[in-house]
Amino acid sequence: MSYLPNQNRYQDMEYRRCGNSGLKLPAVSLGLWHNFGGIDSLENARNILRLAFDKGITHFDLANNYGPPAGSAEETVGRIFKDDFKSYRDELIISSKAGWGMWPGPYGDWGSKKYLVSSLDQSLKRMGLDYVDIFYHHRPDPETPIEETMGALDLIVRQGKALYVGISSYSASETEKAVAVLKELGTPCLIHQPKYSMFDRWVEGGLLDVLEDKGVGCIPFSPLAQGLLTNKYLKGIPEGSRAAAHRGNGAIDEDAITEQNIVKAAKLNELALQRGQNLAQMALSWILKDKRITSVLIGASKPEQVTDSIGCLANTLFSDEELKLINNILA
């Protein structure tokens, strides 16, 4: 049976303008870093994507190396897009990235024009798309001139292979340089995708201020610290969890499930319950409370996790007392 999206899918989702651009993104976006690879269930991936779109999540975020194996998440999206979403392409924001190792030899990694252009061509073939909405440089390259890397992003837009471009994991100073080069080229930097959660607050040390000043959007990844900021690990490492799966490709492992982190998560969970939320919802709300944040990227291994995460939008306001308690717990 063909997929027919929920007719009321835009009713309850919040959409936020991305920096100074004309683009709005859903406050909650779906990241496909894990659970959409060749080792995962295609039907489960299909069910997650369908439910997300039914709930108003219009933004699906990928990268060339998502899987495992690398490239397979884009292949999964390509199969599902062809069957379910082709008629709704103009309602979707699909992003991809390049910047980490993807193929052997000197042209399959980092930030050269050769790598970025070739990688996006491969990504478009895997997904069966004519263009992506957003294309990111996935991490700064200390050896390639930033003018070359940003010039490649500019070229990609002018070729019609991407509508917008962004950067990921750039420091505040690196971001200022990248934004300036792109502005001079005439292709503004739309968005920055940094790692940001209650357990990893580096962006508060200057990056968010730069993004606000330059009119660049922000879409954090790993807002739940890959599950640490959920109820999943409060009583140890459950069988079948990501930490127990040894997936590789940047996935969390047992070493991150420390007693210190569990103690903090348990205290945060108590506060979340007082707010009428679970820990995951509060952790997402805590990021979205900042108006400099355009959207927050969630991951999901099952459809119901998408529904649960969207519940964060019911309460993104924090009292001064709650913020003080959170800071004391995290100190």
Side-chain angles (χ1 to χ4, degrees):
M1 183 176 178
S2 59
Y3 167 57
L4 293 175
N6 176 12
Q7 292 184 345
N8 299 317
R9 57 189 175 276
Y10 298 115
Q11 187 169 297
D12 297 321
M13 178 55 67
E14 174 189 350
Y15 297 89
R16 297 185 174 190
R17 188 167 301 281
C18 191
N20 289 339
S21 77
L23 186 69
K24 291 183 178 180
L25 295 180
V28 176
S29 297
L30 182 63
L32 280 66
W33 184 9
H34 301 290
N35 305 310
F36 292 85
I39 66 172
D40 301 298
S41 163
L42 178 64
E43 284 311 301
N44 186 57
R46 186 188 306 276
N47 291 336
I48 292 172
L49 289 172
R50 284 181 172 186
L51 178 64
F53 191 52
D54 284 344
K55 296 289 187 180
I57 294 179
T58 53
H59 178 27
F60 301 154
D61 179 74
L62 294 122
N64 59 353
N65 63 335
Y66 287 179
S72 59
E74 290 180 331
E75 291 172 349
T76 294
V77 166
R79 295 189 189 102
I80 297 171
F81 175 84
K82 181 180 178 182
D83 294 338
D84 293 349
F85 293 103
K86 196 168 186 177
S87 299
Y88 307 99
R89 176 66 182 98
D90 294 336
E91 297 183 45
L92 291 171
I93 300 294
I94 299 176
S95 61
S96 194
K97 317 177 195 70
W100 289 89
M102 186 61 191
W103 63 84
Y107 316 122
D109 200 351
W110 292 105
S112 71
K113 180 182 290 187
K114 169 69 173 176
Y115 172 48
L116 295 182
V117 173
S118 299
S119 180
L120 180 53
D121 285 344
Q122 292 179 20
S123 292
L124 292 175
K125 288 178 183 178
R126 283 191 287 265
M127 292 187 283
L129 300 177
D130 296 324
Y131 69 94
V132 291
D133 297 275
I134 307 170
F135 184 67
Y136 293 86
H137 185 221
H138 209 161
R139 61 169 173 168
D141 181 347
E143 297 185 351
T144 299
I146 199 164
E147 291 80 6
E148 177 178 343
T149 302
M150 296 304 110
L153 296 183
D154 173 68
L155 173 65
I156 283 164
V157 170
R158 295 183 188 279
Q159 290 177 329
K161 296 174 183 177
L163 301 184
Y164 303 92
V165 294
I167 54 179
S168 178
S169 301
Y170 277 53
S171 70
S173 61
E174 290 165 338
T175 296
E176 284 192 288
K177 293 176 185 176
V179 169
V181 173
L182 283 170
K183 183 179 180 180
E184 185 175 345
L185 291 169
T187 298
C189 182
L190 174 79
I191 195 165
H192 189 299
Q193 187 174 134
K195 188 177 185 180
Y196 182 30
S197 72
M198 286 178 164
F199 282 172
D200 191 349
R201 301 173 64 173
W202 73 274
V203 302
E204 297 171 8
L207 178 63
L208 288 176
D209 292 332
V210 170
L211 298 180
E212 181 178 31
D213 180 61
K214 302 300 181 183
V216 177
C218 184
I219 181 168
F221 73 91
S222 291
L224 303 181
Q226 295 199 56
L228 278 176
L229 289 166
T230 70
N231 298 334
K232 183 180 295 183
Y233 299 110
L234 293 181
K235 297 181 180 179
I237 303 175
E239 186 177 346
S241 66
R242 187 182 298 182
H246 304 287
R247 293 177 61 94
N249 199 28
I252 194 171
D253 57 29
E254 292 99 332
D255 292 343
I257 317 299
T258 64
E259 183 178 354
Q260 183 182 33
N261 283 336
I262 291 175
V263 169
K264 289 180 179 180
K267 291 179 180 178
L268 291 168
N269 186 54
E270 293 175 8
L271 178 58
L273 294 174
Q274 294 172 22
R275 286 172 47 85
Q277 296 179 309
N278 59 39
L279 176 53
Q281 289 169 340
M282 186 180 77
L284 296 173
S285 298
W286 180 83
I287 290 180
L288 288 169
K289 75 182 186 306
D290 192 325
K291 297 307 177 184
R292 295 172 293 185
I293 301 297
T294 309
S295 180
V296 64
L297 279 167
I298 63 166
S301 59
K302 55 190 72 171
E304 50 265 36
Q305 291 176 341
V306 174
T307 302
D308 183 75
S309 293
I310 293 173
C312 74
L313 299 177
N315 185 9
T316 58
L317 299 176
F318 288 78
S319 68
D320 291 340
E321 181 61 26
E322 286 174 329
L323 294 175
K324 183 178 178 181
L325 285 170
I326 289 170
N327 287 333
N328 287 339
I329 292 169
L330 296 174

